[in-house]
Amino acid sequence: MKALVLTQYNQFDLQDLPQPTIRPNEVLVRVKAVGICGSDVHGMDGSSGRRIPPIVMGHEASGIITEVGSDVRSWATGDRVTFDSTVYALDDWYSRRGQYNLSDGREVVGVSTPDFKRNGAFAEYVAVPQHILYAIPENVSFTQAALVEPVAVALHAVSLTPIQINDSAVVVGAGMIGLFVIQALKLAGCGTIIAIDLDDDRLALAQKLGATHTINAGKADLQLGDVPTQVQRLTHGRGADSSFEVVGAGPTVKTAIDCVRKGATVTLVGNLAPTVEIPLQAVVTRQLRLQGSCAINGEYEAALALISSGRINVEAILSAEVPLEEGADWFKRLYNKEKGLIKVVLKP
């Protein structure tokens, strides 16, 4: 089968690899669409430590089942499916508590670390266990289904955060996940949703998708003041009821903390930098809750239903659909932060 392999950092090669051999509890999926995730882009240069070459990346995917293992009961060849990015044991202590995203020994499709390696979906075929599969609704395309994973990541972050009707929320980072967080906050009933970014085009898209206000953090406004001051003006002088940091860098984490009121929740979704500094005294004296959000924990069905009903718009962030053979070039364009690019979907 054809596969796009990260053979060394910053180097992709299109190779012919053996078709995966499935285990009794697994199915073989013929990949029809697979998205390039921001974590893949950051992983290709070795900075994240979670894409050790050689590895076939890709965890946002959809396709058709072509083979089922001997222990598979609820799925058949020809089924249209997508799948969770987390591979976990059903009998793990955390899984039994309904927190499979935290399970010990969990693996992520298309990720390699010193602890595990699991080839992903930048290939014609991928093997996945049956318990992470989800059926694709008839009116949802393979491309739309390949974007379910980042939608579910956003839904998980919002589900962890205490939100009341008409609350105010700040979203720091209007990339793909941030844009989905904005849509989820609108569905959750937030009355004021403030998007913060450095790119005016992304902020315009954020407003189209549900943000009530936007702030370009890179453009000083002497009249309105700095970013936290502008947020306070929009939130009765207090600051937002919650904030979502969807970048994973020190300055943006500080912005997410600075923009909320006393007693608020700051949900950290981005994890680009392994460590960041935080204003500890501000967190303590303002009694802020810092909440990490890890991956997905059962939000796939909701994500699929919201896409199927049109309440979550995934096409708005889709920049290009291209053949797998062109993947290396598009990775380079995303890595170089080409203006206007948000989500690229590859077609094996």
Side-chain angles (χ1 to χ4, degrees):
M1 68 172 185
K2 293 179 182 177
L4 188 67
V5 184
L6 183 71
T7 52
Q8 61 185 32
Y9 290 125
N10 295 315
Q11 176 64 48
F12 287 98
D13 289 316
L14 193 67
Q15 297 183 350
D16 284 320
L17 297 183
Q19 187 172 295
T21 301
I22 60 172
R23 298 173 180 174
N25 72 325
E26 292 182 336
V27 305
L28 188 67
V29 176
R30 174 67 172 92
V31 180
K32 303 296 286 186
V34 52
I36 299 178
C37 178
S39 63
D40 294 324
V41 177
H42 296 305
M44 67 178 274
D45 68 358
S47 59
S48 72
R50 294 181 57 79
R51 303 294 193 281
I52 299 173
I55 180 69
V56 178
M57 296 193 287
H59 57 270
E60 305 172 357
S62 64
I64 299 173
I65 295 177
T66 60
E67 184 182 349
V68 298
S70 58
D71 292 342
V72 174
R73 295 291 178 265
S74 300
W75 302 96
T77 57
D79 287 348
R80 300 170 71 246
V81 295
T82 183
F83 46 86
D84 203 319
S85 55
T86 301
V87 179
Y88 56 94
L90 291 169
D91 60 353
D92 176 81
W93 186 82
Y94 289 98
S95 298
R96 290 177 182 273
R97 289 172 59 89
Q99 295 176 305
Y100 71 75
N101 59 321
L102 305 179
S103 61
D104 291 327
R106 76 184 185 98
E107 298 181 355
V108 182
V109 177
V111 168
S112 54
T113 73
D115 298 320
F116 72 89
K117 172 183 176 179
R118 179 175 281 270
N119 279 332
F122 290 146
E124 291 184 289
Y125 294 92
V126 64
V128 294
Q130 61 177 334
H131 65 272
I132 69 170
L133 291 171
Y134 293 88
I136 301 173
E138 288 185 6
N139 68 331
V140 174
S141 69
F142 287 116
T143 295
Q144 289 175 313
L147 300 177
V148 171
E149 198 267 357
V151 172
V153 168
L155 294 179
H156 181 60
V158 172
S159 72
L160 289 173
T161 308
I163 293 173
Q164 296 184 15
I165 296 298
N166 208 40
D167 265 2
S168 58
V170 163
V171 179
V172 184
M176 178 184 63
I177 301 295
L179 293 170
F180 288 143
V181 168
I182 287 167
Q183 295 186 66
L185 289 170
K186 183 179 179 181
L187 291 172
C190 280
T192 300
I193 303 171
I194 305 165
I196 301 172
D197 201 276
L198 299 171
D199 187 309
D200 284 333
D201 291 338
R202 292 194 175 196
L203 289 172
L205 182 54
Q207 197 148 28
K208 175 184 174 183
L209 294 175
T212 57
H213 304 84
T214 62
I215 299 172
N216 188 318
K219 296 182 178 179
D221 193 314
L222 297 178
Q223 184 176 2
L224 295 177
D226 60 12
V227 171
T229 299
Q230 292 183 59
V231 171
Q232 288 175 3
R233 290 175 185 272
L234 298 170
T235 54
H236 309 287
R238 292 189 294 267
D241 298 308
S242 62
S243 68
F244 295 79
E245 199 283 341
V246 203
V247 180
T252 47
V253 170
K254 185 177 185 304
T255 296
I257 292 171
D258 290 344
C259 287
V260 293
R261 62 167 171 78
K262 291 179 285 188
T265 296
V266 177
T267 299
L268 305 175
V269 186
N271 64 351
L272 178 59
T275 61
V276 298
E277 290 187 5
I278 63 168
L280 179 61
Q281 289 187 349
V283 172
V284 173
T285 60
R286 295 168 60 211
Q287 197 169 299
L288 303 183
R289 172 188 175 193
L290 301 187
Q291 168 72 62
S293 179
C294 177
I296 298 152
N297 189 39
E299 290 83 10
Y300 252 73
E301 284 191 11
L304 282 163
L306 290 169
I307 293 171
S308 176
S309 66
R311 287 178 290 170
I312 289 281
N313 182 346
V314 294
E315 286 89 349
I317 59 93
L318 181 63
S319 304
E321 297 178 72
V322 298
L324 180 68
E325 292 82 355
E326 298 178 14
D329 178 59
W330 285 91
F331 256 96
K332 190 178 301 182
R333 294 169 69 171
L334 287 163
Y335 188 77
N336 291 331
K337 295 181 168 43
E338 182 176 311
K339 191 168 178 60
L341 281 187
I342 299 179
K343 172 57 66 176
V344 175
V345 170
L346 304 181
K347 298 293 191 74

